[in-house]
Amino acid sequence: MASDTVYGSWLGGLIVCTGWGVPQEEAGPLAAVVLSSLQGAILLARVQRGVSVIHTVTERISLLAEQAVRT
């Protein structure tokens, strides 16, 4: 399925965060959380006709990434 290929490539691209200090065993799960959170935020932003939810989600993603680097 084409969408599976696209999402797979996005996840693969996000997994490069191991180069930013995220432990390898955390990179895949973190990438999945980032991608699904952003997709959900985009959907909510469209429904709410505003971008505040995107700002909120990206702030939380940043905190999760910082925590992953510290572990």
Side-chain angles (χ1 to χ4, degrees), residues 25-43:
E25 64 275 3
E26 293 294 321
L30 180 60
V33 168
V34 168
L35 181 57
S36 60
S37 297
L38 290 174
Q39 287 291 308
I42 291 167
L43 176 65

Side-chain angles (χ1 to χ4, degrees), residues 41-42 44-46 48-59:
I42 291 167
L44 285 172
R46 290 187 71 171
Q48 296 173 351
R49 297 194 167 141
V51 296
S52 63
V53 69
I54 294 174
H55 294 291
T56 301
V57 167
T58 55
E59 288 172 5

Side-chain angles (χ1 to χ4, degrees), residues 1 13 20 22 24 29 34 36 47 51-53 55 60-62 65:
M1 186 182 289
W20 305 327
V22 175
Q24 188 170 359
V34 168
S36 60
V47 169
V51 296
S52 63
V53 69
H55 294 291
R60 296 299 173 176
I61 288 171
S62 176

